Amino acid sequence: MFELTICTGGNRRTVPAEAGQLVSDLLQQYIPSFALPCAGNHTCGKCRVHVEGAVEPAGESETRLLGTQALAEGVRLACACRIQGNAVVTLHDEGASKIVAWYKTPDYERTETGCGFAVDIGTTTVAVQLLDRASGTVLAERLAENAQRGYGADVISRIEACKTVGLDVLSDRIAEQIEKMAQECLREAGISQVEESVVTGNSTMLHLYEGLNPASLAVVPFDVQSYFGCYSRRTLAGAPVYLPRCVGAYVGADITCAILAAELMNSGIQLLTDIGTNGEMALAWNGKLLCCSTAAGPAFEGAGLSCGMPAAPGAIRTVTEENGTITYETVGKQPACGICGSGILDALSVMLKTGIIDDSGYLENEDGDEDDVWEIGSSRVNITQRDVRQIQLAKSAICAGLITLLEHEGLSVDEVSRFVIAGGFGNTINQDSAAEIGLFPAGLRDRTSFIGNGALGGAGMLLMNRSLRGQTEQMAQNAVELSLSTSAEFMDYYVDCMSFMQF
């Protein structure tokens, strides 16, 4: 038996370790929030830690992801590093994620009294707000990365984790996290009880929260155990929890809430997308609602990129070019240590404009190095060819999904009266950069509006006006979910939208 000393945030903790044990297994045991974005499959290179002491040498995959210089400096991947003796592992504190729980909702009547919680369980981020239901005042809030992230960055990884570590583990982890966040809000606000709560999320997140087996969501015909639109088996701070209705397996209650917050069912032809780990979309016109979802992946939120990170202090959030000079801004005006989603879109737009990449996404340095990278100014933050490809896949899925929705109904981009972008990432992007690289059709640029975290905003509306629940349940029940996985049109558009250009 050996000892592993874990250093994080100025604290040191020594724990027992066995020969051959993965550092990631120990970290997840003692620091449950430690993230493994690719679920420990040695593909993303994001679980970087500094290691000293007796550990096995790096293998081929670890060397490829880290490079020889990082390895020489003691950097290792926790998911690939195995204990051989006593060792010390240091986690680098990048600061708390700057995830703003901002949202815009329409004017509506508040019919309820007392206090309650609105909760959005995102695949990447969990947002909890304590609200005065009569006035709509936010009394306290907590924002954190989803505690299930150690089991993968996307819903498929989480579903697979249910088979290996057990459904109860993932279910209890998210429920305990939300309860802890809620109790912190109550203490901050000096309130002892709430009347009710509304918890929203995509279909997989709600299945996991309720302890329902999500396995059928990952295989054809993508059946759900429940559409929800009901009360949970759980309570939050001792009070009942209402779960809004989902549209289908991959169009969840978060989109139902975002549609409510966006007033998407009003007159005109309106289009909505929630840009995040899951790219969900909705088209409303002539009283009809057509929805779909694409697997955008976590790249828009910084995960899976070589220098990617959440919008935390030091993350590059904007990149501009003028007269050949590259400038950038970071969150909190701190020294650059990575790049978040909005920054990567700006960076790709600049790279396209200056010829660093062509419209196919090919990146080549002057020396023709196969392992090409582009440094953002003098930031020491690099964009690699693999990063470009990750965003290329994600943006193509979003753009192709939007075009497919319109094509399915025989509509053109010019006929859309309003294009709504929801989600934390969607609230921070430069719409010009997004259009220039083809994240959405350029014709929508001047009709774009941002509503921030529409899922959380809609959950708050359901918390403060009970009559809206029946309306959204009926709306979700009547909505049609378009399966893009079986759509030949989507696949054709997906290939076309790979190019970095305006569509």
Side-chain angles (χ1 to χ4, degrees), residues 23-106:
V23 169
S24 59
D25 289 344
L26 287 161
L27 290 177
Q28 287 202 303
Q29 180 179 350
Y30 295 100
I31 306 177
S33 61
F34 182 76
L36 291 175
C38 69
N41 289 316
H42 319 317
T43 58
C44 74
K46 302 300 293 182
C47 59
R48 300 185 182 202
V49 294
H50 186 274
V51 179
E52 298 176 0
V55 292
E56 291 183 1
E60 180 181 348
S61 64
E62 195 175 3
T63 302
R64 173 176 52 82
L65 289 167
L66 290 176
T68 55
Q69 181 177 347
L71 287 170
E73 294 172 352
V75 178
R76 297 295 300 269
L77 296 183
C79 70
C81 182
R82 295 185 181 276
I83 299 294
Q84 278 192 330
N86 295 334
V88 177
V89 59
T90 302
L91 281 64
H92 299 288
D93 184 10
E94 297 178 337
S97 298
K98 184 180 183 296
I99 308 163
V100 180
W102 174 88
Y103 50 78
K104 180 181 179 181
T105 57

Side-chain angles (χ1 to χ4, degrees), residues 106 108 198-200 206 227-230 242-248 251-265 289 291 454-480:
Y108 64 97
V198 174
V199 174
T200 193
L206 291 189
Y227 286 99
F228 305 104
C230 59
Y242 173 75
L243 305 173
R245 184 182 168 95
C246 299
V247 173
V251 181
D254 50 352
I255 294 304
T256 302
C257 290
I259 290 170
L260 175 65
E263 294 187 291
L264 206 72
M265 301 303 293
L289 183 63
C291 304
L456 188 64
M461 293 175 68
L462 296 176
L463 178 69
M464 292 181 275
N465 186 324
R466 190 179 298 270
S467 67
L468 294 175
R469 299 179 190 180
Q471 294 179 30
T472 55
E473 288 171 16
Q474 190 65 50
M475 176 188 73
Q477 184 176 349
N478 293 338
V480 175

Side-chain angles (χ1 to χ4, degrees), residues 94-430:
E94 297 178 337
S97 298
K98 184 180 183 296
I99 308 163
V100 180
W102 174 88
Y103 50 78
K104 180 181 179 181
T105 57
D107 293 331
Y108 64 97
E109 182 183 6
R110 298 182 184 88
T111 60
E112 309 304 311
T113 59
C115 297
F117 287 104
V119 180
D120 173 31
I121 308 176
T123 308
T124 303
T125 305
V126 177
V128 175
Q129 285 190 335
L130 174 60
L131 298 166
D132 182 312
R133 299 202 295 174
S135 66
T137 302
V138 178
L139 303 175
E141 67 178 346
R142 289 292 184 274
L143 304 147
E145 291 180 310
N146 191 313
Q148 299 170 336
R149 63 188 180 136
Y151 301 106
D154 54 50
V155 295
I156 299 300
S157 299
R158 309 274 173 89
I159 292 171
E160 288 300 312
C162 289
K163 301 174 184 177
T164 55
V165 302
L167 171 61
D168 289 345
V169 172
L170 275 79
S171 182
D172 290 344
R173 178 157 293 187
I174 190 63
E176 290 167 3
Q177 179 185 21
I178 294 171
E179 182 67 37
K180 179 181 177 182
M181 294 167 74
Q183 292 298 330
E184 290 174 355
C185 287
L186 290 174
R187 286 194 294 271
E188 179 182 319
I191 293 174
S192 59
Q193 67 177 36
V194 295
E195 307 301 320
E196 198 175 29
S197 294
V198 174
V199 174
T200 193
N202 63 49
S203 303
T204 302
M205 291 301 105
L206 291 189
H207 274 70
L208 293 178
Y209 178 72
E210 279 295 272
L212 299 177
N213 190 343
S216 60
L217 298 176
V219 294
V220 177
F222 307 114
D223 291 327
V224 298
Q225 298 293 319
S226 173
Y227 286 99
F228 305 104
C230 59
Y231 279 90
S232 171
R233 69 183 180 92
R234 299 185 181 276
T235 60
L236 184 58
V241 173
Y242 173 75
L243 305 173
R245 184 182 168 95
C246 299
V247 173
Y250 283 98
V251 181
D254 50 352
I255 294 304
T256 302
C257 290
I259 290 170
L260 175 65
E263 294 187 291
L264 206 72
M265 301 303 293
N266 284 7
S267 60
I269 299 172
Q270 299 200 55
L271 193 60
L272 175 144
T273 183
D274 189 321
I275 302 177
T277 306
N278 303 304
E280 294 140 322
M281 286 153 268
L283 170 66
W285 77 292
N286 199 27
K288 297 192 294 184
L289 183 63
L290 183 66
C291 304
C292 68
S293 177
T294 64
F300 287 132
E301 296 174 297
L305 304 179
S306 59
C307 293
M309 61 183 291
I316 293 176
R317 63 182 186 87
T318 66
V319 182
T320 56
E321 182 274 337
E322 186 173 353
N323 299 324
T325 301
I326 306 297
T327 59
Y328 60 88
E329 292 183 3
T330 64
V331 175
K333 301 189 183 302
Q334 298 296 307
C337 57
I339 187 166
C340 61
S342 60
I344 194 73
L345 293 191
D346 277 358
L348 290 175
S349 177
V350 167
M351 294 168 76
L352 188 63
K353 176 182 176 182
T354 57
I356 301 299
I357 58 172
D358 59 20
D359 59 10
S360 74
Y362 178 69
L363 186 161
E364 182 178 6
N365 285 337
E366 293 181 359
D367 59 6
D369 187 352
E370 293 182 358
D371 188 22
D372 291 321
V373 298
W374 179 69
E375 182 179 355
I376 301 173
S378 57
S379 66
R380 300 185 67 183
V381 174
N382 295 325
I383 307 297
T384 69
Q385 181 68 79
R386 184 176 181 275
D387 295 338
V388 174
R389 297 306 185 201
Q390 290 292 309
I391 293 295
Q392 195 167 17
L393 293 170
K395 74 96 181 175
S396 179
I398 296 293
C399 193
L402 292 170
I403 295 173
T404 303
L405 278 181
L406 293 170
E407 176 76 15
H408 187 273
E409 294 299 300
L411 299 171
S412 69
V413 168
D414 293 337
E415 293 177 275
V416 176
S417 58
R418 180 170 171 248
F419 175 47
V420 181
I421 298 180
F425 167 77
N427 182 43
T428 60
I429 66 173
N430 179 321

